[in-house]
Amino acid sequence: MADIMNMVDELSKLTVIETAELVKQLETKWGVSAAAPVAVAAAGAPAGAAAPVAEAKTAFDVILASVPADKKIAVIKAVREVKAGLGLAEAKALVEGAPKPVLEGANKADSDAAKKKLEEAGAKVEVK
């Protein structure tokens, strides 16, 4: 138990740069990814010793927030272009039921393209 306390004390003295270097060396030595060692270091070390690396978001939801009444037809057409295989009745119901998700779990490029197309048609769109 005393050895563990000594290790905690020593790790607490490391700077952020030294901690990052330690993580890299442990990854190489143990053959693991950055996610596991960083999470363990952050949970086991005192505050300020190491911060977990934020993962880049890869899945986005495109939500139709609102549609002006005078732009409804254009937005219905845009929804049908964005969401393949959607019939006219389904697209109309989606537009009239706003706020509703148009795309869920889309990649960055698809979500940006959908947002642009829907906004050009006159809709207010949120990407989460």
Side-chain angles (χ1 to χ4, degrees):
M1 190 65 159
D3 290 338
I4 293 173
M5 292 306 292
N6 287 338
M7 278 197 289
V8 170
D9 289 339
E10 289 300 314
L11 289 173
S12 298
K13 295 175 187 174
L14 294 177
T15 65
V16 175
I17 294 172
E18 291 170 332
T19 304
E21 183 59 34
L22 173 64
V23 169
K24 288 179 188 175
Q25 289 181 18
L26 291 175
E27 284 178 336
T28 304
K29 176 99 175 163
W30 294 340
V32 295
S33 69
V38 171
V40 170
V53 177
E55 293 183 26
K57 188 171 179 177
T58 58
F60 299 89
D61 295 339
V62 179
I63 299 169
L64 183 64
S66 65
V67 179
D70 63 329
K71 304 287 185 179
K72 191 189 294 186
I73 293 173
V75 173
I76 291 171
K77 289 179 182 178
V79 165
R80 290 188 69 200
E81 290 177 25
V82 167
K83 193 164 184 172
L86 199 62
L88 182 59
E90 293 90 358
K92 182 178 182 230
L94 192 149
V95 169
E96 289 176 345
K100 285 208 172 187
V102 177
L103 294 177
E104 294 178 307
N107 64 34
K108 180 75 171 152
D110 290 344
S111 64
D112 287 344
K115 180 181 179 189
K116 182 180 178 192
K117 189 167 287 211
L118 291 167
E119 286 180 339
E120 286 174 352
K124 290 190 192 228
V125 181
E126 298 174 5
V127 177
K128 293 184 180 182

